[in-house]
Amino acid sequence: MDYTEIITEIYNEVRGIKERGKVADYIPALAEIDPSQLGIAVATADGNVFGIGDWQTKFSIQSISKVFTLAMVIRHIGDEIWQNVGREPSGNPFNSLIQLENECGKPRNPFINAGALAVTDRLMRLYERPKEDILCFIRQLADSEDIYFDKNVAISEIYHSSRNSALAYFMKSFGNIEGDVETLVDIYCNHCSITMTCGELARSFLFLANRGVNPFNGEEVLSVSMSKRLNALMLTCGFYDESGDFAFRVGLPGKSGVGGGIVAVIPGELSIAVWSPGLNRHGNSCLGIEVLERFTTRLQTSIF
Ligand code: GLN
Protein backbone atom coordinates (compact mmCIF):
# COMPACT_ATOMS: atom_id res chain seq x y z
CA MET A 1 0.00 0.00 0.00
CA ASP A 2 1.21 3.49 -0.90
CA TYR A 3 0.48 6.05 1.83
CA THR A 4 1.74 9.07 -0.13
CA GLU A 5 -1.69 10.24 -1.22
CA ILE A 6 -3.40 10.06 2.15
CA ILE A 7 -0.60 11.84 4.03
CA THR A 8 -0.31 14.49 1.32
CA GLU A 9 -4.03 15.21 1.54
CA ILE A 10 -3.94 15.46 5.32
CA TYR A 11 -0.79 17.59 5.25
CA ASN A 12 -2.44 20.05 2.86
CA GLU A 13 -5.54 20.25 5.03
CA VAL A 14 -3.92 20.75 8.40
CA ARG A 15 -1.11 23.08 7.42
CA GLY A 16 -3.69 25.86 7.07
CA ILE A 17 -4.77 25.49 10.70
CA LYS A 18 -3.86 28.61 12.65
CA GLU A 19 -4.38 27.29 16.20
CA ARG A 20 -1.13 25.38 16.70
CA GLY A 21 -0.44 25.79 20.41
CA LYS A 22 2.86 26.97 21.88
CA VAL A 23 6.38 25.58 21.66
CA ALA A 24 7.84 24.26 24.92
CA ASP A 25 9.78 27.11 26.51
CA TYR A 26 10.63 25.62 29.92
CA ILE A 27 13.63 24.10 28.12
CA PRO A 28 15.10 27.32 26.63
CA ALA A 29 16.78 25.58 23.68
CA LEU A 30 13.37 24.29 22.54
CA ALA A 31 11.83 27.77 22.67
CA GLU A 32 13.93 28.73 19.63
CA ILE A 33 12.33 26.16 17.28
CA ASP A 34 10.34 27.52 14.32
CA PRO A 35 6.72 26.57 15.12
CA SER A 36 5.59 26.56 11.49
CA GLN A 37 7.24 23.22 10.71
CA LEU A 38 5.20 20.10 10.02
CA GLY A 39 6.38 16.67 8.93
CA ILE A 40 4.69 13.29 8.55
CA ALA A 41 6.26 9.88 7.83
CA VAL A 42 4.73 6.42 7.59
CA ALA A 43 6.92 3.30 7.76
CA THR A 44 5.65 -0.12 6.80
CA ALA A 45 7.03 -3.44 7.98
CA ASP A 46 8.47 -4.18 4.53
CA GLY A 47 10.84 -1.24 5.01
CA ASN A 48 9.08 1.40 2.89
CA VAL A 49 8.87 4.97 4.19
CA PHE A 50 6.45 7.58 2.87
CA GLY A 51 6.99 11.19 3.92
CA ILE A 52 5.68 14.70 3.39
CA GLY A 53 6.63 18.21 4.57
CA ASP A 54 9.50 18.50 7.06
CA TRP A 55 9.76 14.74 7.52
CA GLN A 56 13.54 14.75 7.02
CA THR A 57 14.28 17.49 9.55
CA LYS A 58 15.79 16.44 12.89
CA PHE A 59 13.92 17.40 16.05
CA SER A 60 14.25 16.67 19.75
CA ILE A 61 12.34 13.47 20.57
CA GLN A 62 12.10 14.30 24.32
CA SER A 63 9.65 11.94 26.09
CA ILE A 64 9.41 9.61 23.11
CA SER A 65 12.84 8.39 24.27
CA LYS A 66 11.12 6.97 27.38
CA VAL A 67 9.76 4.13 25.23
CA PHE A 68 13.28 3.15 24.15
CA THR A 69 14.71 3.22 27.67
CA LEU A 70 11.79 1.17 29.00
CA ALA A 71 12.29 -1.38 26.21
CA MET A 72 16.00 -1.58 27.07
CA VAL A 73 15.18 -2.27 30.71
CA ILE A 74 12.35 -4.77 30.29
CA ARG A 75 14.27 -6.85 27.80
CA HIS A 76 16.77 -7.44 30.62
CA ILE A 77 14.73 -7.61 33.80
CA GLY A 78 11.14 -8.10 32.56
CA ASP A 79 8.54 -7.79 35.30
CA GLU A 80 11.04 -6.75 37.94
CA ILE A 81 10.66 -3.13 36.82
CA TRP A 82 7.10 -3.07 38.21
CA GLN A 83 8.58 -3.03 41.70
CA ASN A 84 9.81 0.50 40.96
CA VAL A 85 7.11 1.85 38.65
CA GLY A 86 3.34 1.32 38.29
CA ARG A 87 1.38 0.89 35.11
CA GLU A 88 -1.74 2.99 35.54
CA PRO A 89 -2.56 6.31 33.89
CA SER A 90 -1.75 9.17 36.24
CA GLY A 91 -4.41 11.67 35.19
CA ASN A 92 -1.86 14.37 36.05
CA PRO A 93 0.65 16.44 34.07
CA PHE A 94 3.87 14.67 33.03
CA ASN A 95 6.03 16.53 35.55
CA SER A 96 3.62 16.45 38.50
CA LEU A 97 4.87 15.74 42.03
CA ILE A 98 1.43 15.33 43.56
CA GLN A 99 0.84 11.57 43.57
CA LEU A 100 4.37 10.63 44.56
CA GLU A 101 4.02 11.35 48.26
CA ASN A 102 0.73 9.52 48.74
CA GLU A 103 2.06 6.60 46.72
CA CYS A 104 5.32 6.30 48.65
CA GLY A 105 7.67 7.38 45.89
CA LYS A 106 6.44 4.84 43.32
CA PRO A 107 5.47 6.66 40.11
CA ARG A 108 2.18 5.74 38.47
CA ASN A 109 3.69 4.73 35.13
CA PRO A 110 6.97 4.73 33.16
CA PHE A 111 6.03 7.65 30.87
CA ILE A 112 5.51 10.45 33.36
CA ASN A 113 8.85 12.05 34.26
CA ALA A 114 9.09 10.40 37.68
CA GLY A 115 8.50 6.97 36.13
CA ALA A 116 11.01 7.55 33.35
CA LEU A 117 13.61 8.66 35.89
CA ALA A 118 13.06 5.44 37.86
CA VAL A 119 13.46 3.45 34.62
CA THR A 120 16.66 5.31 33.73
CA ASP A 121 17.96 4.62 37.24
CA ARG A 122 17.56 0.88 36.58
CA LEU A 123 19.08 1.27 33.11
CA MET A 124 22.18 2.89 34.64
CA ARG A 125 22.81 -0.28 36.61
CA LEU A 126 22.08 -2.68 33.76
CA TYR A 127 24.28 -1.07 31.11
CA GLU A 128 27.96 -0.28 31.44
CA ARG A 129 27.92 2.77 29.14
CA PRO A 130 24.30 3.94 29.37
CA LYS A 131 24.50 6.88 26.96
CA GLU A 132 26.37 5.01 24.23
CA ASP A 133 24.15 1.97 24.71
CA ILE A 134 20.96 4.04 24.34
CA LEU A 135 22.22 5.52 21.05
CA CYS A 136 23.29 2.11 19.82
CA PHE A 137 19.88 0.61 20.67
CA ILE A 138 17.99 3.33 18.79
CA ARG A 139 20.34 3.23 15.80
CA GLN A 140 19.65 -0.47 15.36
CA LEU A 141 15.91 0.04 15.60
CA ALA A 142 15.93 2.90 13.08
CA ASP A 143 18.51 1.15 10.89
CA SER A 144 20.48 4.41 10.82
CA GLU A 145 23.82 5.44 12.30
CA ASP A 146 22.93 9.12 12.04
CA ILE A 147 21.31 9.47 15.48
CA TYR A 148 22.91 11.62 18.19
CA PHE A 149 22.31 13.58 21.37
CA ASP A 150 21.74 17.31 20.91
CA LYS A 151 24.24 18.64 23.44
CA ASN A 152 22.76 22.13 23.29
CA VAL A 153 19.29 20.85 24.26
CA ALA A 154 20.69 18.45 26.88
CA ILE A 155 22.71 21.18 28.60
CA SER A 156 19.80 23.62 28.41
CA GLU A 157 17.55 21.08 30.13
CA ILE A 158 20.18 20.15 32.74
CA TYR A 159 20.48 23.85 33.70
CA HIS A 160 16.71 23.94 34.18
CA SER A 161 16.23 20.53 35.76
CA SER A 162 15.17 21.56 39.27
CA ARG A 163 11.82 19.84 38.97
CA ASN A 164 13.21 16.58 37.58
CA SER A 165 15.95 16.61 40.21
CA ALA A 166 13.28 17.20 42.88
CA LEU A 167 11.31 14.20 41.58
CA ALA A 168 14.45 12.05 41.65
CA TYR A 169 15.55 13.13 45.15
CA PHE A 170 12.02 12.65 46.45
CA MET A 171 11.91 9.09 45.09
CA LYS A 172 15.38 8.49 46.51
CA SER A 173 14.07 9.42 49.96
CA PHE A 174 11.66 6.48 49.62
CA GLY A 175 14.47 4.18 48.47
CA ASN A 176 13.13 4.03 44.89
CA ILE A 177 16.23 5.55 43.27
CA GLU A 178 19.60 3.94 43.89
CA GLY A 179 21.99 5.89 41.71
CA ASP A 180 23.51 9.34 42.06
CA VAL A 181 20.80 11.87 41.17
CA GLU A 182 23.09 14.21 39.20
CA THR A 183 24.30 11.36 37.02
CA LEU A 184 20.73 10.15 36.59
CA VAL A 185 19.42 13.56 35.51
CA ASP A 186 22.36 13.92 33.12
CA ILE A 187 21.57 10.61 31.40
CA TYR A 188 17.83 11.35 31.40
CA CYS A 189 18.26 14.82 29.84
CA ASN A 190 20.64 13.38 27.26
CA HIS A 191 18.26 10.68 26.15
CA CYS A 192 15.44 13.24 25.94
CA SER A 193 17.69 15.45 23.77
CA ILE A 194 18.16 12.83 21.03
CA THR A 195 17.27 14.23 17.62
CA MET A 196 15.61 12.20 14.89
CA THR A 197 13.60 12.84 11.76
CA CYS A 198 9.99 11.68 11.34
CA GLY A 199 11.31 9.05 8.93
CA GLU A 200 13.83 7.69 11.45
CA LEU A 201 11.31 7.80 14.26
CA ALA A 202 8.65 5.91 12.30
CA ARG A 203 11.24 3.27 11.36
CA SER A 204 12.49 2.92 14.92
CA PHE A 205 8.97 2.08 16.17
CA LEU A 206 8.34 -0.62 13.58
CA PHE A 207 9.37 -3.33 16.05
CA LEU A 208 6.24 -2.46 18.03
CA ALA A 209 4.13 -2.96 14.91
CA ASN A 210 5.98 -6.21 14.23
CA ARG A 211 5.42 -8.30 17.40
CA GLY A 212 8.68 -7.12 18.97
CA VAL A 213 10.94 -8.02 16.04
CA ASN A 214 13.22 -5.44 14.39
CA PRO A 215 12.25 -5.84 10.71
CA PHE A 216 15.63 -4.52 9.52
CA ASN A 217 17.79 -7.27 11.04
CA GLY A 218 15.23 -9.87 12.21
CA GLU A 219 16.33 -9.53 15.83
CA GLU A 220 13.78 -10.10 18.60
CA VAL A 221 13.93 -6.85 20.56
CA LEU A 222 11.07 -7.81 22.86
CA SER A 223 8.97 -10.96 23.18
CA VAL A 224 5.47 -10.87 21.68
CA SER A 225 4.03 -10.47 25.15
CA MET A 226 6.38 -7.63 26.13
CA SER A 227 5.67 -5.84 22.89
CA LYS A 228 1.91 -6.13 23.59
CA ARG A 229 2.50 -4.65 27.03
CA LEU A 230 4.57 -1.75 25.77
CA ASN A 231 1.86 -0.91 23.25
CA ALA A 232 -0.76 -1.16 26.02
CA LEU A 233 1.23 1.27 28.17
CA MET A 234 1.54 3.72 25.29
CA LEU A 235 -2.22 3.56 24.75
CA THR A 236 -3.09 4.13 28.41
CA CYS A 237 -0.27 6.47 29.49
CA GLY A 238 1.53 7.77 26.38
CA PHE A 239 -0.14 11.20 26.41
CA TYR A 240 -0.28 11.82 30.19
CA ASP A 241 -3.57 13.42 31.22
CA GLU A 242 -4.68 13.41 27.59
CA SER A 243 -4.25 9.66 27.06
CA GLY A 244 -7.98 8.98 27.17
CA ASP A 245 -8.70 11.68 24.63
CA PHE A 246 -5.93 10.47 22.32
CA ALA A 247 -7.39 6.93 22.42
CA PHE A 248 -10.83 8.40 21.75
CA ARG A 249 -9.73 10.53 18.80
CA VAL A 250 -6.97 8.40 17.25
CA GLY A 251 -7.40 4.88 18.63
CA LEU A 252 -3.74 3.86 18.49
CA PRO A 253 -0.91 3.28 20.97
CA GLY A 254 1.50 6.18 20.71
CA LYS A 255 3.93 8.46 22.48
CA SER A 256 4.46 12.19 22.44
CA GLY A 257 7.33 14.47 23.42
CA VAL A 258 7.52 18.19 24.19
CA GLY A 259 9.70 18.62 21.09
CA GLY A 260 6.36 18.32 19.23
CA GLY A 261 6.82 14.76 17.97
CA ILE A 262 4.23 12.00 18.17
CA VAL A 263 4.73 8.44 17.03
CA ALA A 264 1.94 5.87 16.84
CA VAL A 265 1.64 2.26 15.78
CA ILE A 266 -0.94 0.14 13.96
CA PRO A 267 0.15 -3.32 15.15
CA GLY A 268 0.79 -5.66 12.25
CA GLU A 269 0.82 -2.80 9.74
CA LEU A 270 2.78 0.38 10.20
CA SER A 271 4.13 3.13 12.37
CA ILE A 272 3.56 6.82 11.78
CA ALA A 273 5.50 9.81 13.11
CA VAL A 274 4.27 13.40 13.01
CA TRP A 275 6.17 16.49 14.07
CA SER A 276 4.82 19.97 14.67
CA PRO A 277 6.40 21.92 17.56
CA GLY A 278 3.27 23.73 18.83
CA LEU A 279 1.90 22.03 21.96
CA ASN A 280 -1.47 22.03 23.69
CA ARG A 281 -1.78 22.51 27.46
CA HIS A 282 -1.02 18.82 28.08
CA GLY A 283 2.35 19.12 26.31
CA ASN A 284 1.22 17.18 23.23
CA SER A 285 1.54 18.43 19.64
CA CYS A 286 -1.70 20.11 18.49
CA LEU A 287 -1.27 19.40 14.81
CA GLY A 288 0.26 16.00 15.54
CA ILE A 289 -2.98 14.80 17.12
CA GLU A 290 -5.02 16.42 14.36
CA VAL A 291 -3.03 14.60 11.66
CA LEU A 292 -3.31 11.25 13.41
CA GLU A 293 -7.04 11.61 14.00
CA ARG A 294 -7.56 12.29 10.31
CA PHE A 295 -5.24 9.42 9.34
CA THR A 296 -7.06 6.68 11.29
CA THR A 297 -10.49 8.13 10.48
CA ARG A 298 -9.79 8.18 6.76
CA LEU A 299 -8.09 4.77 6.74
CA GLN A 300 -10.90 3.40 8.92
CA THR A 301 -8.26 1.49 10.83
CA SER A 302 -7.36 1.66 14.49
CA ILE A 303 -6.87 -0.95 17.18
CA PHE A 304 -10.60 -0.76 17.85
N1 GLN B 1 12.72 16.21 28.92
C1 GLN B 1 11.37 16.61 29.19
C2 GLN B 1 11.15 16.81 30.68
O1 GLN B 1 11.72 16.13 31.45
C3 GLN B 1 10.43 15.57 28.63
C4 GLN B 1 8.99 15.90 28.83
C5 GLN B 1 8.10 15.50 27.69
O2 GLN B 1 8.53 15.35 26.55
N2 GLN B 1 6.81 15.39 27.96
O3 GLN B 1 10.43 17.66 31.12
Coordinates of all heavy atoms in Angstrom, one line a residue, residues 26-27 61-64 66 94-95 113 157 164 188 192 240 255-259 283, ligand 1:
Y26 N 10.0 25.9 28.6 CA 10.6 25.6 29.9 C 12.0 25.0 29.7 O 12.8 24.9 30.6 CB 9.7 24.8 30.8 CG 9.6 23.3 30.5 CD1 10.4 22.4 31.1 CD2 8.8 22.9 29.5 CE1 10.3 21.0 30.8 CE2 8.7 21.6 29.1 CZ 9.5 20.6 29.8 OH 9.4 19.3 29.5
I27 N 12.3 24.5 28.5 CA 13.6 24.1 28.1 C 14.1 25.2 27.1 O 13.6 25.1 25.9 CB 13.7 22.7 27.5 CG1 13.1 21.6 28.5 CG2 15.1 22.3 27.1 CD1 13.0 20.2 27.9
I61 N 13.4 14.4 20.3 CA 12.3 13.5 20.6 C 11.8 13.5 22.0 O 10.7 13.1 22.3 CB 12.7 12.0 20.2 CG1 13.8 11.5 21.1 CG2 13.1 11.9 18.7 CD1 14.1 10.0 21.0
Q62 N 12.6 14.1 22.9 CA 12.1 14.3 24.3 C 11.5 13.0 24.9 O 12.1 12.0 24.9 CB 11.2 15.5 24.4 CG 11.9 16.8 24.2 CD 13.0 17.1 25.3 OE1 12.8 16.8 26.4 NE2 14.1 17.6 24.9
S63 N 10.2 13.1 25.3 CA 9.7 11.9 26.1 C 9.4 10.7 25.2 O 9.2 9.6 25.8 CB 8.3 12.3 26.7 OG 8.6 13.1 27.9
I64 N 9.5 10.8 23.9 CA 9.4 9.6 23.1 C 10.6 8.7 23.5 O 10.4 7.4 23.4 CB 9.4 10.0 21.6 CG1 8.2 10.8 21.3 CG2 9.4 8.7 20.7 CD1 8.1 11.4 19.9
K66 N 11.5 7.8 26.2 CA 11.1 7.0 27.4 C 10.7 5.6 27.0 O 10.7 4.6 27.7 CB 10.0 7.7 28.2 CG 10.4 9.0 28.8 CD 9.2 9.7 29.4 CE 9.6 11.1 30.0 NZ 8.4 11.9 30.4
F94 N 2.7 15.6 33.1 CA 3.9 14.7 33.0 C 4.9 15.0 34.1 O 5.7 14.1 34.5 CB 4.5 14.7 31.6 CG 5.0 16.0 31.2 CD1 6.3 16.4 31.6 CD2 4.3 16.8 30.3 CE1 6.8 17.7 31.1 CE2 4.8 18.0 29.9 CZ 6.0 18.5 30.3
N95 N 5.0 16.2 34.6 CA 6.0 16.5 35.6 C 5.5 16.7 37.0 O 6.1 17.4 37.8 CB 6.8 17.8 35.1 CG 5.9 18.9 34.8 OD1 4.7 18.9 35.1 ND2 6.5 20.0 34.3
N113 N 7.4 11.8 34.0 CA 8.8 12.1 34.3 C 9.4 11.2 35.4 O 10.5 10.6 35.3 CB 9.1 13.5 34.5 CG 9.1 14.3 33.2 OD1 8.7 13.8 32.2 ND2 9.4 15.6 33.3
E157 N 18.5 21.7 29.2 CA 17.6 21.1 30.1 C 18.2 20.8 31.5 O 17.6 21.0 32.5 CB 17.0 19.8 29.5 CG 15.9 19.2 30.5 CD 15.1 18.1 29.9 OE1 15.3 17.6 28.8 OE2 14.1 17.7 30.6
N164 N 12.9 18.0 37.7 CA 13.2 16.6 37.6 C 14.1 16.1 38.7 O 14.0 15.0 39.2 CB 13.8 16.3 36.2 CG 12.8 16.3 35.1 OD1 11.6 15.9 35.3 ND2 13.1 16.8 33.9
Y188 N 19.2 11.1 31.8 CA 17.8 11.3 31.4 C 17.7 12.5 30.4 O 17.1 12.4 29.4 CB 17.0 11.6 32.7 CG 15.6 12.1 32.4 CD1 14.6 11.2 32.1 CD2 15.3 13.4 32.4 CE1 13.3 11.6 31.9 CE2 14.0 13.9 32.1 CZ 13.0 13.0 31.9 OH 11.7 13.4 31.6
C192 N 16.5 12.4 26.4 CA 15.4 13.2 25.9 C 15.9 14.1 24.8 O 15.1 14.5 23.9 CB 14.9 14.1 27.1 SG 13.9 13.2 28.3
Y240 N 0.0 11.3 28.8 CA -0.3 11.8 30.2 C -1.8 12.0 30.5 O -2.5 11.1 30.2 CB 0.5 13.1 30.4 CG 1.9 13.1 29.7 CD1 2.2 13.8 28.6 CD2 2.8 12.2 30.3 CE1 3.4 13.7 28.0 CE2 4.0 12.1 29.7 CZ 4.3 12.8 28.5 OH 5.6 12.7 27.9
K255 N 3.2 7.7 21.5 CA 3.9 8.5 22.5 C 4.3 9.8 21.9 O 4.6 10.0 20.8 CB 5.2 7.7 22.8 CG 6.0 8.3 24.0 CD 5.3 8.1 25.3 CE 5.8 9.1 26.4 NZ 5.1 10.4 26.3
S256 N 4.2 10.8 22.8 CA 4.5 12.2 22.4 C 5.7 12.7 23.2 O 6.2 12.0 24.1 CB 3.3 13.1 22.8 OG 3.2 13.1 24.3
G257 N 6.2 13.8 22.7 CA 7.3 14.5 23.4 C 7.1 16.0 23.3 O 6.5 16.4 22.3
V258 N 7.7 16.7 24.2 CA 7.5 18.2 24.2 C 8.3 18.9 23.1 O 8.2 20.1 22.9 CB 7.8 18.9 25.5 CG1 6.8 18.6 26.6 CG2 9.2 18.6 26.0
G259 N 9.1 18.1 22.3 CA 9.7 18.6 21.1 C 8.7 18.8 20.0 O 8.9 19.3 18.9
G283 N 1.0 19.4 26.8 CA 2.4 19.1 26.3 C 2.4 18.2 25.1 O 3.4 17.6 24.8
Ligands
GLN1 N1 12.7 16.2 28.9 C1 11.4 16.6 29.2 C2 11.2 16.8 30.7 O1 11.7 16.1 31.5 C3 10.4 15.6 28.6 C4 9.0 15.9 28.8 C5 8.1 15.5 27.7 O2 8.5 15.4 26.6 N2 6.8 15.4 28.0 O3 10.4 17.7 31.1

